[in-house]
Amino acid sequence: MFAKRQSVLAATAGAPPEKPTLRDRMTVVGRFMRRPPVAVSLAGVLLIAAAALFITVLGDPRAGAPSARVALKRNADTPAAAPVPTGLEAFTMGAGGLYADLSTDGDPALNGEAILTLPDGAVVSGEGAAVTAPRIAARPLAAAPIAGLHQPGPDGPLPRIAPDGRVPAQAYARPFVSDGRPRIALVVGGLGLNAATTRAAIERLPAEVTLSFVPYAEGLQGWIDLARAQGHEVMIEIPMEPSGYPANDPGPYTLLASSEPAEIQARMNWLLSRASGYFGVTNYLGDRFAGSEAGMASFMATLRAKGVAFLDDGSMSRKPGAWARASANRIIDEEQSAAAIVGQLNALEALAKARGQSFGTGFSYPVTVEAVARWTAGLDARGIQLAPASAMTQRPGR
């Protein structure tokens, strides 16, 4: 075996090496590329090559996107942060800027801190603490009840005309003397249910702004006493049947269009005995009740007999009665934005200058309270006298 192998080697030692064929070469390359590491690397190379070819032919796909390079340098004299917006900017006026130059009276709660309004109407600071708006100096009215103006009722004391002729509509009204200029009266209602907005309305609005309270409010007498101590005359809201009742239900003591006079009297006894110190009442809803001649007649007769005024939101202006009457010209906040509210207030101002007086009503939304507070601050300079709502009333037939 060994000798035979040697002879073979000797025979081939002088012969030139054979050249591999192309087929042999491709077979070797194929075997090499079929190895897993080589196959993966080759796929990556092909992908990069395809992307390069795509960009070469079609261009950079991000070439049309905007881009910019900015060198940011902080000036040593520039404050580190922009001023924090005031409460008005944060939740009311926005881009309106109508009152950007008005002072916050130095209240630290409204300077340098953002104010937010929660869905329930509460106003809080950016850190979660309650904020009390700047308080206007008190101009108190006489404490209620005033002797002789109340009598016992089935559910509590009821207003009455005193033996000497004094009536609640006058005794509990804020005194007013016209100076000859056009005058505007405003009522802000829906008070007593939300403590934050109720206190803001009492303390933030001028004493001439009349406040209207919900009869179902807890601690109603305390709120009325606080309002009068600040100088506001007050009213009680009487819930009346609206369209859509009972799906739209103002409460268990709503005056219904279908009720008999005795039932209306009983419900009014409960509503009017919730507190003392109000000069009049106003409607809460009530378009369906207003269509009941018998119901309205019973309602008005009760107020007339007790010496109480009735001021409506403008929806019942053709309904006479009560001891004294007035109807609003406008509801100022049907659209709950500061710009819209200021527009309605400006319309009231124009109406007052044209007719000598105007009367508006609104709800105690935080934006309404803030807009009214700031708008009324400039009335005197614009030649308008702010008047309590009682100054707009007239006796029937006069």
Side-chain angles (χ1 to χ4, degrees):
M1 174 74 73
F2 179 77
K4 184 177 181 179
R5 184 177 180 185
Q6 288 286 352
S7 63
V8 172
L9 289 174
T12 61
E18 295 182 3
K19 293 183 178 181
T21 64
L22 178 62
R23 181 176 180 180
D24 294 336
R25 291 178 180 179
M26 293 303 297
T27 300
V28 173
V29 172
R31 290 174 180 174
F32 176 78
M33 293 181 63
R34 282 198 297 270
R35 295 178 182 179
V38 176
V40 172
S41 300
L42 183 62
V45 172
L46 292 175
L47 180 62
I48 294 173
L53 180 63
F54 178 82
I55 293 175
T56 301
V57 176
L58 299 180
D60 187 352
R62 297 183 299 170
S67 63
R69 293 183 179 180
V70 180
L72 298 178
K73 296 182 179 179
R74 183 180 295 277
N75 191 328
D77 298 329
T78 302
V84 179
T86 65
L88 185 67
E89 294 167 341
F91 78 94
T92 56
M93 300 304 296
L98 296 178
Y99 300 112
D101 59 340
L102 293 184
S103 169
T104 56
D105 297 332
D107 183 18
L110 295 181
N111 287 319
E113 188 173 42
I115 308 299
L116 304 175
T117 303
L118 302 181
D120 65 355
V123 181
V124 298
S125 72
E127 307 208 348
V131 170
T132 301
R135 179 171 181 167
I136 294 177
R139 296 156 60 193
L141 300 176
I146 296 175
L149 294 178
H150 286 81
Q151 64 184 10
D155 300 296
L158 290 170
R160 72 165 185 173
I161 299 175
D164 59 7
R166 291 174 298 134
V167 294
Q170 293 176 329
Y172 289 123
R174 178 167 186 82
F176 174 76
V177 178
S178 174
D179 60 9
R181 295 182 298 170
R183 57 188 179 180
I184 292 177
L186 293 169
V187 172
V188 172
L191 296 168
L193 296 180
N194 182 284
T197 53
T198 299
R199 184 172 291 276
I202 291 173
E203 298 181 354
R204 184 80 170 101
L205 299 177
E208 287 79 11
V209 175
T210 300
L211 303 182
S212 177
F213 288 83
V214 177
Y216 305 120
E218 184 177 354
L220 178 58
Q221 188 63 60
W223 284 122
I224 288 179
D225 291 343
L226 186 63
R228 289 185 59 80
Q230 188 67 16
H232 301 278
E233 65 179 19
V234 302
M235 295 193 295
I236 296 291
E237 296 175 7
I238 303 297
M240 299 178 178
E241 182 179 358
S243 297
Y245 181 88
N248 185 12
D249 188 354
Y253 290 89
T254 299
L255 304 187
L256 302 177
S258 59
S259 294
E260 296 294 327
E263 177 63 20
I264 291 176
Q265 182 67 58
R267 295 194 175 197
M268 287 194 66
N269 283 341
W270 188 91
L271 293 165
L272 296 176
S273 65
R274 294 306 88 203
S276 63
Y278 54 89
F279 81 94
V281 302
T282 187
N283 65 297
Y284 176 66
L285 303 179
D287 60 318
R288 182 177 291 178
F289 181 78
S292 170
E293 295 295 333
M296 286 297 295
S298 178
F299 167 73
M300 294 289 195
T302 299
L303 297 179
R304 185 166 54 250
K306 297 183 179 302
V308 175
F310 176 52
L311 293 78
D312 69 88
D313 60 6
S315 62
M316 304 179 185
S317 58
R318 298 183 181 276
K319 304 291 182 181
W323 191 88
R325 281 285 283 119
S327 293
N329 301 112
R330 286 178 179 269
I331 298 175
I332 63 173
D333 55 1
E334 289 185 312
E335 182 180 342
Q336 296 167 38
S337 72
I341 293 170
V342 171
Q344 292 293 333
L345 291 170
N346 289 339
L348 282 175
E349 183 174 337
L351 184 61
K353 290 179 178 179
R355 299 183 181 179
Q357 67 178 38
S358 62
F359 175 21
T361 66
F363 189 79
S364 54
Y365 303 113
V367 63
T368 302
V369 174
E370 187 65 24
V372 170
R374 292 174 180 257
W375 182 81
T376 54
L379 273 182
D380 190 65
R382 300 198 298 273
I384 301 292
Q385 185 178 15
L386 187 60
S390 58
M392 300 291 161
T393 62
Q394 294 182 342
R395 293 289 307 278
R398 296 187 181 183

